[in-house]
Amino acid sequence: MTNATTNELTIDAPEGVPWIDYTREFDAPVAAVFDAHRDPDLVRQWLGPNGHEMGIEGWDFATGGSYRYTHRSDGAEYGFHGLFHTIRDDELVIQTFEFEGMPDEVAIEFLWFDDLGDGRCRLRGRSVGRTVEGRDAMVASGMERGMREGYERLEALVGSAPTAPAGAGGGAS
Amino acid sequence: MTNATTNELTIDAPEGVPWIDYTREFDAPVAAVFDAHRDPDLVRQWLGPNGHEMGIEGWDFATGGSYRYTHRSDGAEYGFHGLFHTIRDDELVIQTFEFEGMPDEVAIEFLWFDDLGDGRCRLRGRSVGRTVEGRDAMVASGMERGMREGYERLEALVGSAPTAPAGAGGGAS
């Protein structure tokens, strides 16, 4: 079932804890959404807010691998890096995450990929920071907008509406 | 000043958050205590509770490196592994930590090494888990005893009392 209205990003940052929970569904197979996290040529096209140029300096998407990327806009450059603690295809990513503008404030991020059947899937994320204050600063920095815009571009990339086979009239005839 | 009575492990696990804070001082130079974290031949001699045999299967103590070790006692074996996100000599370690008996419950750990002068130092740690419940389970598992015993062995290893130079009579004459 295609129902774009259910594909809203939901963010929950409960008071007094250092984590952020988020979830979003996609009208795309779980393998396609996972691949858009694995392949740096795809990642570059969707990760982060609109209007930034993304540069990927390293993307070793494997258990034990590392990554670093930058976002540039209006002459400013922001760097991010981390390590992939666990990669389980089409299922789970556990990684560290450091925004280099807040050195040593490293978060650990869990990202589950749920196959919903019918060519749909759900991302569920938890990002756990070192402190509640750091988590609050992340939320205040406009993180939600960046995630929302990024996931909208991801959905466009992996195909927001399943394409009917050429000549198909629809229906289960 | 040597004052062994101040070298107690202090653990703080506040209600409702997923972290554990701990601190302990050592009558040893910060470089010696840091080295006992870097060198697997030293780590093997102190990490973990008494009465376990420690096996180190990997110990790439460098930014981006990985580790895995096991503790064996009474025929049971417990595995632990993670990645070193940041290593700053004599100053800071940030690493992931997974007890393989609780797969995917990965914590991020911060360990600061403070030089106190006079050949003494202080370790300050924060271990942040994915959930409050997981943190509580860690505390209930006897983690505190294991840490306490481990740090006592570490103190013995690095020299709990600074050795006076041969023939020195003490004093600042």
Side-chain angles (χ1 to χ4, degrees), chain A residues 119-143:
Chain A
R120 303 188 74 247
C121 68
R122 182 193 298 121
L123 281 187
R124 286 180 297 122
R126 170 167 288 193
S127 175
V128 190
R130 189 177 68 83
T131 65
V132 178
E133 295 75 15
R135 192 282 311 261
D136 290 345
M138 282 285 283
V139 173
S141 74
M143 177 207 70

Side-chain angles (χ1 to χ4, degrees), chain B residues 22-133:
Chain B
Y22 53 94
T23 185
R24 193 190 195 283
E25 298 185 1
F26 291 89
D27 292 325
V30 69
V33 171
F34 190 84
D35 210 49
H37 287 73
R38 181 211 322 264
D39 181 344
D41 288 335
L42 299 177
V43 171
R44 188 180 287 118
Q45 296 177 55
W46 70 264
L47 187 64
N50 295 337
H52 282 65
E53 185 187 351
M54 183 167 181
I56 298 190
E57 301 196 357
W59 197 264
D60 180 13
F61 191 80
T63 295
S66 65
Y67 68 89
R68 182 171 189 271
Y69 62 85
T70 57
H71 278 139
R72 251 187 283 183
S73 72
D74 300 330
E77 183 174 289
Y78 309 92
F80 306 84
H81 71 271
L83 303 174
F84 296 112
H85 179 97
T86 297
I87 301 282
R88 216 143 63 218
D89 283 4
D90 302 341
E91 187 182 335
L92 177 65
V93 173
I94 305 176
Q95 66 185 47
T96 61
F97 173 86
E98 180 171 354
F99 166 46
E100 294 168 6
M102 294 177 66
D104 301 337
E105 292 299 328
V106 185
I108 187 157
E109 305 194 323
F110 301 79
L111 192 55
W112 295 270
F113 296 75
D114 300 332
D115 186 350
L116 299 178
D118 293 325
R120 302 188 74 246
C121 68
R122 182 194 299 121
L123 281 187
R124 285 180 298 122
R126 170 168 287 195
S127 175
V128 189
R130 190 177 67 85
T131 66
V132 179
E133 296 75 14

